[in-house]
Amino acid sequence: MRIRLNLDSIALLLFCSDIVVDGSHPLTSDEWYEIERRLRTSSLKEPSRLFGMSKDALVQILQVDEYIAEKMQARSLDYDKLMYALHNLQNEGINITTTYEDDYPKELRHSLKRRVPLFLYYIGDLSILNKMVSIVGPHLMDRKLQGVTRALVKKLVSEDRVLVNSGSKGIESYTLKLYTKLGGKIVCFLSDHMLDKKQTYNRLIRDGQMLLLSAVDPYSFFNVTNALDRNIYVCGLSEYQFVTAAHINSGGTWFTSIQNFHYHWTTQLVYEDAMYNGNMRLMEMGALKISKNDIHSSLSIDQIIEKNQAEEREEEVMIDQMSIYDFIEE
């Protein structure tokens, strides 16, 4: 495998990536978006024209702050270190894509917009990215929840859905193992230890059953911020996300779901069970319910969603048409 990137991607990695290890600081995503905006209105137009530019030239042509220009000038001196880092990734079997490449996941571009990671490390075949869903829930689960999750997984595998998974403990670890056993395809989005996971899932990757993705340095350790961002990326890749169980104000599942209501990264379906207060609250906020009967039915996921959306619309119409006299009598 050889890393093939266009010049705009090389420029992006030079100024923003975390694989160049020295004293220089990469630009943040927001800083890079500002550079892109200024490039479009300048004579340069393309990121590849930034190579070798001095601090003064950056300030004069792009009219950026001197602090940003200093960071970019320092990074310009690291071109050889970037090439060395890319060579090491290639030797480890790790590829990389950026928002300037045609193979960058279109699902992330569409759903996350300015929250999209500027570049992704990956191991495996990007063509696996199709008809993706995710299943999230607590780290601890009882036999009842396990049974419902198993039935949901079997339905999704039968529809050739690709599972997007973070490899976390509990529900996600369970679904990953079950999906693997049933022969389903999996996208595992990581926030740390990518090289270790490569060794763990080497056979699945080789057989085309699994793709590893990461938005952080493949050599990185666990970081809470990266883990929270990873949850957002899992949402962004998923056509649907199934919440098996959530508790109010507790855990990554709850907080990611709340963010999803604001940003609309994906369509969220919540298992209808009054035992979990978070589930009931999410449905009150607008998440689409999915019942045990739905999961065990012969209906496809798309058919279940269509049925439940129609039922919700009917309930809304009935409420809207209630007269003032009916209201008073009640």
Side-chain angles (χ1 to χ4, degrees), residues 94-113:
I94 300 173
N95 216 322
I96 190 166
T97 186
T98 82
T99 51
Y100 297 114
E101 299 293 331
D102 293 336
D103 61 1
Y104 189 91
K106 61 182 183 301
E107 293 83 2
L108 286 179
R109 293 182 194 269
H110 175 72
S111 59
L112 298 187
K113 301 189 171 52

Side-chain angles (χ1 to χ4, degrees), residues 225-275:
T225 299
N226 292 340
L228 292 174
D229 286 341
R230 172 208 59 201
N231 292 346
I232 293 172
Y233 304 149
V234 168
C235 263
L237 276 177
S238 304
E239 181 180 0
Y240 307 125
Q241 181 166 87
F242 297 87
V243 177
T244 58
H247 298 284
I248 294 176
N249 293 333
S250 177
T253 297
W254 172 261
F255 291 112
T256 304
S257 297
I258 295 301
Q259 284 184 289
N260 184 56
F261 280 117
H262 180 72
Y263 294 105
H264 307 291
W265 296 317
T266 187
T267 299
Q268 204 151 48
L269 296 95
V270 177
Y271 175 50
E272 186 181 27
D273 192 333
M275 176 179 174

Side-chain angles (χ1 to χ4, degrees), residues 1 14 30 40-41 49 130 158-159 267 286 293 306 310 329:
M1 182 191 70
L14 178 63
D30 286 340
R40 286 193 293 269
T41 58
R49 300 285 298 277
N130 186 40
S158 70
E159 295 183 16
T267 299
N293 289 337
E306 185 178 351
E329 287 182 6

Side-chain angles (χ1 to χ4, degrees), residues 1-267:
M1 182 191 70
R2 290 185 178 277
I3 294 177
R4 294 180 174 86
L5 297 168
N6 62 48
L7 290 177
D8 288 338
S9 291
I10 296 294
L12 169 62
L13 293 172
L14 178 63
F15 294 113
C16 301
S17 75
D18 52 0
I19 55 174
V20 175
V21 182
D22 65 2
S24 64
H25 298 287
L27 298 182
T28 66
S29 295
D30 286 340
E31 289 170 341
W32 182 254
Y33 285 132
E34 181 61 20
I35 294 296
E36 281 189 323
R37 187 183 69 81
R38 292 177 182 273
L39 276 171
R40 286 193 293 269
T41 58
S42 74
S43 59
L44 300 178
K45 304 300 182 185
E46 299 172 349
S48 58
R49 300 285 298 277
L50 295 170
F51 288 119
M53 291 186 67
S54 66
K55 170 189 168 183
D56 292 338
L58 288 167
V59 171
Q60 182 177 356
I61 297 175
L62 295 183
Q63 298 182 348
V64 297
D65 293 339
E66 288 194 8
Y67 168 70
I68 301 298
E70 288 174 358
K71 289 174 69 174
M72 294 180 70
Q73 184 178 44
R75 274 275 161 152
S76 293
L77 302 177
D78 291 334
Y79 182 82
D80 57 336
K81 296 175 183 176
L82 173 64
M83 292 298 105
Y84 180 75
L86 291 175
H87 178 73
N88 286 340
L89 288 179
Q90 181 173 287
N91 288 341
E92 294 287 358
I94 300 173
N95 216 322
I96 190 166
T97 186
T98 82
T99 51
Y100 297 114
E101 299 293 331
D102 293 336
D103 61 1
Y104 189 91
K106 61 182 183 301
E107 293 83 2
L108 286 179
R109 293 182 194 269
H110 175 72
S111 59
L112 298 187
K113 301 189 171 52
R114 286 179 66 91
R115 292 293 296 269
V116 68
L118 295 173
F119 46 87
L120 291 172
Y121 305 98
Y122 68 93
I123 305 173
D125 187 355
L126 288 175
S127 67
I128 198 176
L129 298 170
N130 186 40
K131 295 176 61 178
M132 290 173 286
V133 296
S134 52
I135 304 173
V136 297
H139 285 181
L140 298 175
M141 57 180 174
D142 56 26
R143 293 183 64 181
K144 175 185 175 183
L145 190 60
Q146 189 178 68
V148 169
T149 304
R150 185 187 306 113
L152 177 60
V153 165
K154 288 180 178 179
K155 182 181 286 291
L156 295 174
V157 171
S158 70
E159 295 183 16
D160 292 324
R161 297 277 182 176
V162 175
L163 180 71
V164 186
N165 192 283
S166 70
S168 299
K169 297 178 181 178
I171 284 287
E172 294 200 58
S173 176
Y174 175 72
T175 56
L176 190 152
K177 291 177 182 177
L178 188 54
Y179 234 82
T180 299
K181 182 178 179 180
L182 295 175
K185 293 185 177 181
I186 303 159
V187 176
C188 198
F189 212 119
L190 308 172
S191 61
D192 59 272
H193 292 89
M194 189 179 201
L195 279 175
D196 293 340
K197 295 297 193 298
K198 176 194 172 188
Q199 298 302 320
T200 302
Y201 300 120
N202 185 55
R203 181 185 62 80
L204 295 174
I205 296 168
R206 187 182 64 247
D207 294 343
Q209 193 177 347
M210 179 177 283
L211 166 70
L212 298 185
L213 288 177
S214 179
V216 296
D217 178 3
Y219 300 91
S220 64
F221 295 96
F222 179 80
N223 177 289
V224 173
T225 299
N226 292 340
L228 292 174
D229 286 341
R230 172 208 59 201
N231 292 346
I232 293 172
Y233 304 149
V234 168
C235 263
L237 276 177
S238 304
E239 181 180 0
Y240 307 125
Q241 181 166 87
F242 297 87
V243 177
T244 58
H247 298 284
I248 294 176
N249 293 333
S250 177
T253 297
W254 172 261
F255 291 112
T256 304
S257 297
I258 295 301
Q259 284 184 289
N260 184 56
F261 280 117
H262 180 72
Y263 294 105
H264 307 291
W265 296 317
T266 187
T267 299

Side-chain angles (χ1 to χ4, degrees), residues 304-318:
I304 291 170
I305 291 172
E306 185 178 351
K307 174 181 73 72
N308 291 345
Q309 285 175 335
E311 289 176 357
E312 285 193 359
R313 286 194 295 270
E314 288 178 6
E315 291 176 5
E316 289 173 2
V317 169
M318 289 177 63

